Amino acid sequence: MLGIHTIQSIPLQRGDGRNLRYVLQLQDPMKSDPFIILADDKFAHNTFADHPHKGMQTVTYVLEGSLTHFDSKTGGGGRLTEGDFQIMTAGRGIIHNENPDVGEEVRVLQLWVNLSSKNKKQPGNYQDLPSTDVPVKDIAGGHVKVFAGDVDGTTSPLELVTPFVFAEVHLEKGAHYDFPVQAGFNTYLYGLDGAFNINGEALKAFDTVHFDTVDHAETISIDATEDMTLVIFSGEPIKEPVEAQGPFVMNTKEELHEAFVSYRNGTFLEGAPY
């Protein structure tokens, strides 16, 4: 079994029209490599107006409600509803917004995945995975939805820049599953509902686990003590310096400064209007 490094219960924060749990915060990006943050975020219309990103990917999983996004890459936008999944590659720069309808709220998990210095230079793009197209692996007493990467031979159709796995595990009370983890991957787990044991440790919704990183393939032992749902995100560390502030994730302080300057002086999109 993959050893447990830390366990935390994630508190709810309220304010600015949001109900937010920071599952993973920007504290030690080398420890969480290749991940930067994970937010369990419920928000209302106009919480996120136009804002930039650079040097990373935003990975969005809609848990409740729906949202519409508009962006500088497509010149239009799209709509995500409950169960949909999206990877937005900011690359060398993108401006977007994400909004539920007026009077509505949306709850999402949003994970920021870092990019290598080379991949930070690529153009921005979107990949959407509708809920109806998400690969599902049936297991005894439950199922696994594979949004990104591969789990036991069930593979997401999304193309990845930084190798990572994002999966949701649902088990009925009394069911057991050994979730496979690739060698060298940095792995986290977050409970969405119910109660369960992880490697024998009793956990519940809103608990998160950071696992040890080892140089061989391993498994996480999951036992459902109630009907339960959790997500696992696991990625290959990039092992490059990280300088992150606000919406930008770069390699050096100079690059970070340049990103802020270019956004303020109108050259962020290489002169293209937005």
Side-chain angles (χ1 to χ4, degrees), residues 19-122:
N19 289 331
L20 172 66
R21 296 180 194 266
Y22 264 124
V23 182
L24 179 63
Q25 298 192 60
L26 178 58
Q27 294 174 331
D28 184 351
M30 300 311 295
K31 180 180 176 181
S32 59
D33 188 14
F35 305 116
I36 305 299
I37 66 165
L38 175 67
D40 179 350
D41 202 353
K42 188 172 186 178
F43 56 92
H45 183 75
N46 268 353
T47 301
F48 294 105
D50 290 356
H51 60 281
H53 285 293
K54 185 181 178 76
M56 39 73 82
Q57 296 177 305
T58 63
V59 175
T60 302
Y61 175 33
V62 181
L63 297 176
E64 301 170 10
S66 60
L67 61 83
T68 302
H69 64 85
F70 293 89
D71 64 272
S72 60
K73 174 61 182 175
T74 67
R79 191 167 181 84
L80 300 175
T81 60
E82 186 172 322
D84 292 347
F85 187 84
Q86 180 189 81
I87 298 177
M88 184 193 79
T89 300
R92 62 177 179 243
I94 202 166
I95 298 174
H96 77 148
N97 64 50
E98 43 207 331
N99 251 328
D101 293 338
V102 176
E104 302 293 329
E105 291 184 320
V106 64
R107 181 188 174 197
V108 305
L109 293 182
Q110 187 166 98
L111 174 68
W112 290 13
V113 180
N114 195 14
L115 295 170
S116 68
S117 55
K118 179 180 75 171
N119 288 323
K120 289 181 189 299
K121 298 178 176 65
Q122 69 173 270

Side-chain angles (χ1 to χ4, degrees), residues 76-223:
R79 191 167 181 84
L80 300 175
T81 60
E82 186 172 322
D84 292 347
F85 187 84
Q86 180 189 81
I87 298 177
M88 184 193 79
T89 300
R92 62 177 179 243
I94 202 166
I95 298 174
H96 77 148
N97 64 50
E98 43 207 331
N99 251 328
D101 293 338
V102 176
E104 302 293 329
E105 291 184 320
V106 64
R107 181 188 174 197
V108 305
L109 293 182
Q110 187 166 98
L111 174 68
W112 290 13
V113 180
N114 195 14
L115 295 170
S116 68
S117 55
K118 179 180 75 171
N119 288 323
K120 289 181 189 299
K121 298 178 176 65
Q122 69 173 270
N125 68 74
Y126 281 85
Q127 293 185 83
D128 290 349
L129 183 60
S131 60
T132 52
D133 295 339
V134 176
V136 178
K137 178 180 180 63
D138 291 323
I139 56 178
H143 61 262
V144 181
K145 294 182 178 180
V146 183
F147 296 97
D150 177 273
V151 178
D152 264 344
T154 299
T155 306
S156 166
L158 298 182
E159 296 182 6
L160 301 180
V161 181
T162 300
F164 74 100
V165 171
F166 191 104
E168 181 183 86
V169 180
H170 176 76
L171 293 175
E172 299 172 356
K173 181 178 179 179
H176 170 87
Y177 180 59
D178 289 323
F179 187 95
V181 175
Q182 297 183 46
F185 272 38
N186 196 6
T187 305
Y188 292 82
L189 175 154
Y190 177 58
L192 291 179
D193 61 54
F196 44 90
N197 290 341
I198 300 298
N199 297 356
E201 295 282 345
L203 300 171
K204 61 187 184 306
F206 312 122
D207 286 344
T208 189
V209 180
H210 184 198
F211 294 90
D212 296 333
T213 300
V214 297
D215 61 3
H216 56 275
E218 264 294 356
T219 59
I220 298 168
S221 175
I222 307 172
D223 290 284

